[in-house]
Amino acid sequence: MKIIIINGPNLNLLGQREPGIYGKESFDKYLLKLRSAFPDVIIDYFQSNHEGDIIDKLQQTGFDYDGIVLNAGALSHTSIAIADTLSAITARVIEVHISNVFAREEFRHHSYLSPKCFGVIVGLGLKGYKLAIQSLIWAD
Ligand code: DQA
C-alpha cells in the first residue's frame, strides 16, 4: 500500500511555529514514528509553500496512490484550484487539520477542499495524520 502525506504552507515550521496551537514536535520526527507504526505501508511525504507545487504533486500521485493525506494549511480556506484538482483525481483523500479550525477565527471555518475529500480529521494534533492513515488502511 502506497500513501502520500502532502503538507501545505508553513507546515515545514511545525515544532517552531505557534507551539501552543501546533505542538512542539517537528514533522520530520513525527514522520519517523509514523513510518515505524505502519511498516507495511509506503508513506511518501511532500511539503510545499507553493499552491502550484501542491497541485502538481496531487496530479502526479492522485491516479495511482492508494490514498492521500492532505493538510493544505491556509490554502484549504482559499484554493479553488486545489479543490478542482481533488475533483479530477481518483485517489481517496483525507483532509487533516492539526488544530481545531472551528474553535479559531471564522475564516478558518470554511474549507474549499472538505467537500472533495473522503473524510476530514480536525483538531486532534499530529495524531490526526496517524488516524488518517489508519482510515485509509481500513477503507473498503
Ligand atoms: C491548519 C489550519 C489552517 O487554518 C492554518 O492556516 C494552517 C494549519 C492546521 O493544520 O490546523 O496552516 O491547516
Side-chain angles (χ1 to χ4, degrees):
M1 178 170 215
K2 204 162 70 164
I3 285 173
I4 184 164
I5 298 170
I6 299 180
N7 273 345
N10 299 305
L11 292 164
N12 53 315
L13 295 181
L14 285 175
Q16 291 170 264
R17 171 195 186 196
E18 299 182 272
I21 296 176
Y22 298 110
K24 290 187 187 148
E25 190 165 12
S26 73
F27 202 80
D28 285 350
K29 274 200 177 155
Y30 183 69
L31 191 56
L32 291 175
K33 289 189 203 167
L34 265 186
R35 286 181 171 141
S36 62
F38 300 105
D40 299 332
V41 181
I42 296 166
I43 304 176
D44 287 340
Y45 177 59
F46 179 77
Q47 188 278 329
S48 176
N49 294 323
H50 305 283
E51 185 174 18
D53 290 344
I54 291 167
I55 290 169
D56 286 345
K57 187 53 78 176
L58 285 167
Q59 289 184 5
Q60 283 159 17
T61 56
F63 294 95
D64 65 328
Y65 274 60
D66 300 301
I68 297 175
V69 179
L70 174 64
N71 183 349
L75 291 171
S76 318
H77 316 304
T78 61
S79 180
I80 295 169
I82 295 178
D84 281 349
T85 312
L86 295 179
S87 296
I89 64 178
T90 53
R92 188 169 282 197
V93 180
I94 309 292
E95 180 180 9
V96 168
H97 294 286
I98 297 163
S99 64
N100 180 357
V101 285
F102 299 106
R104 301 180 64 194
E105 302 96 322
E106 199 158 340
F107 63 83
R108 296 184 203 276
H109 297 184
H110 176 261
S111 164
Y112 282 103
L113 313 185
S114 301
K116 313 288 184 183
C117 291
F118 185 77
V120 181
I121 296 173
V122 168
L124 300 180
L126 289 177
K127 200 196 298 169
Y129 291 89
K130 188 173 185 183
L131 294 169
I133 292 171
Q134 193 75 70
S135 80
L136 289 167
I137 292 168
W138 284 342
D140 9 77

